């Protein structure tokens, strides 16, 4: 008789157990996928069609690596680039505070033989031992662009790369003026490399054909129904991928903006619905059919 009083509770536990087990398995599966996404090694290839791309630059390939933080680049990366690249751009956050500097060294050594490398600082680079970081970068033959232009040449076609330095102080808005191109360079093809795409909001004009950025991690963890509400409104729209931005420089044209999800993570080594990536960008000249 005494055992009959406990039977309903026992039966309820037996009935509920499959649901508890299923929920637990679901949580483990989601957590596992978040770790896998955070430590993925995807190389994402993207064609960027540009109206003003010189014919000689059609097919020009850029390896864009942003937001490495404390990760190791895969040793197989150079061999996975297929037909190779013409240029390597490092979009900031190449390391972070308390990350071992020998990891930064090994990452840069891996990239050094791939193609000429140019880099800009990100906010986390400045939180590390920046003097040592810069010494390592420059010691590997990498050109660190601190609010400066550099003229590049491919197939006899000269074009400009401008590196925008992240504000060392003053937050997200205290950027130095964008360096002007030399006289006579009006209309030249120009790429701007900047860590944080919200730099665009500080500009009255964006005199460039292509802007490349990182910083956002694509939101890193995108919770359904919540999404990116924990970040500035700008990032709700401009998070990852390709966008158009009005140049407002008198040309009447649009700049293409590409934002990488980046390779590393901030705070926790987790990603959800925004997997880690390394980008290979192929520049394409828009074909106008007559």
């Amino acid at each position: 008789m005494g055992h009959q009083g406990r039977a309903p509770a026992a039966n309820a536990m037996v009935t509920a157990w499959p649901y508890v087990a299923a929920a637990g398995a679901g949580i483990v599966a989601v957590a596992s996928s978040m770790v896998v996404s955070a430590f993925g090694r995807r190389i994402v290839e993207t064609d960027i069609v540009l109206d003003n791309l010189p014919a000689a630059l059609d097919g020009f390939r850029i390896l864009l690596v942003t937001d490495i933080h404390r990760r190791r680049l895969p040793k197989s990366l150079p061999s996975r680039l297929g037909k190779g690249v013409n240029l390597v751009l490092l979009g900031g956050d190449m390391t972070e505070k308390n990350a071992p500097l020998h990891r930064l060294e090994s990452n840069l050594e891996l990239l050094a033989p791939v193609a000429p490398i140019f880099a800009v600082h990100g906010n986390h680079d400045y939180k590390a031992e920046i003097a040592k970081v810069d010494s390592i970068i420059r010691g590997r033959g990498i050109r660190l662009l601190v609010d400066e232009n550099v003229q590049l040449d491919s197939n006899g076609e000269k074009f400009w790369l401008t590196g925008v330095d992240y504000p060392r102080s003053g937050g997200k808005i205290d950027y130095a003026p964008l360096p002007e191109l030399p006289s006579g360079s009006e209309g030249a093809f120009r790429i701007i490399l900047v860590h944080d795409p919200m730099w665009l909001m500080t500009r009255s004009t964006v005199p460039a054909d292509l802007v490349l950025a990182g910083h956002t991690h694509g939101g890193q963890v995108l919770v359904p129904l919540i999404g990116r509400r924990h970040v500035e409104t700008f990032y709700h729209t401009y998070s990852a991928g390709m966008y158009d931005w009005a140049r407002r420089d008198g040309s009447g044209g649009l700049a293409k903006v590409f934002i990488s999800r980046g390779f590393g993570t901030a705070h926790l080594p987790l990603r959800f619905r925004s997997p880690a990536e390394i980008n290979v960008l192929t520049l394409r000249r828009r074909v106008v059919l007559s």
Side-chain angles (χ1 to χ4, degrees):
M1 293 290 292
H3 291 292
Q4 291 179 359
R6 293 193 297 270
N11 289 338
M13 290 181 62
V14 170
T15 302
W17 173 245
Y19 298 101
V20 174
I27 292 171
V28 171
V30 169
S32 298
S33 71
M34 292 173 76
V35 173
V36 170
S37 291
F39 289 96
R41 299 182 174 188
R42 298 189 313 152
I43 297 177
V44 178
E45 299 229 11
T46 305
D47 284 2
I48 302 181
V49 179
L50 297 154
D51 293 329
N52 299 321
L53 185 71
L57 295 180
D58 188 55
F60 189 89
R61 284 163 58 85
I62 299 170
L63 176 64
L64 175 65
V65 186
T66 76
D67 303 278
I68 302 172
H69 288 276
R70 57 178 57 243
R71 288 194 67 186
R72 294 182 187 274
L73 292 175
K75 291 184 178 180
S76 61
L77 176 59
S79 65
R80 294 170 59 197
L81 295 176
K83 53 187 176 183
V85 297
N86 304 97
L87 184 67
V88 178
L89 298 180
L90 302 180
D93 284 2
M94 294 163 278
T95 186
E96 64 179 29
K97 184 177 180 180
N98 297 326
L101 291 179
H102 67 80
R103 191 166 299 167
L104 172 65
E105 291 178 323
S106 63
N107 285 337
L108 299 183
E109 287 171 0
L110 180 73
L111 293 172
V114 172
I117 307 175
F118 296 84
V120 294
H121 290 127
N123 52 309
H124 282 278
D125 297 317
Y126 277 124
K127 294 176 183 178
E129 298 177 84
I130 190 62
K132 292 181 180 179
V133 168
D134 286 357
S135 178
I136 291 170
I137 293 170
R138 293 186 171 115
R140 297 304 179 277
I142 295 168
R143 177 78 178 270
L144 185 59
L145 298 176
V146 182
D147 299 312
E148 57 189 301
N149 303 309
V150 60
Q151 189 176 54
L152 304 178
D153 184 296
S154 180
N155 295 323
E157 181 71 40
K158 291 180 171 55
F159 64 102
W160 290 94
L161 171 66
T162 301
V164 175
D165 195 44
Y166 192 88
R168 191 163 187 166
S169 60
K172 289 175 173 284
I173 61 174
D174 195 21
Y175 283 91
L178 185 70
E180 295 184 3
L181 296 182
S183 177
S185 300
E186 297 80 6
F189 184 76
R190 186 188 205 182
I191 299 171
I192 292 178
L193 178 65
V194 59
H195 178 61
D196 185 353
M198 205 162 80
W199 166 81
L200 292 163
M201 295 292 289
T202 71
R203 296 288 307 167
S204 58
T205 64
V206 181
D209 299 280
L210 177 62
V211 178
L212 302 177
H215 183 66
T216 68
H217 298 196
Q220 190 166 315
V221 176
L222 299 180
V223 180
L225 304 180
I226 296 177
R228 305 176 180 88
R229 293 182 186 176
H230 63 293
V231 297
E232 290 95 330
T233 302
F234 173 87
Y235 302 120
H236 294 183
T237 300
Y238 300 96
S239 178
M242 193 85 65
Y243 305 91
D244 290 326
W245 191 276
R247 294 176 57 142
R248 300 190 298 270
D249 61 350
S251 68
L254 297 171
K256 288 289 183 184
V257 177
F258 181 84
I259 304 172
S260 173
R261 289 182 174 85
F263 190 65
T265 57
H267 309 301
L268 293 174
L270 300 172
R271 283 180 177 263
F272 186 62
R273 298 171 60 212
S274 184
E277 66 184 29
I278 294 170
N279 304 96
V280 174
L281 310 175
T282 302
L283 308 188
R284 294 295 184 191
R285 181 179 171 87
R286 187 180 299 281
V287 176
V288 180
L289 300 177
S290 57

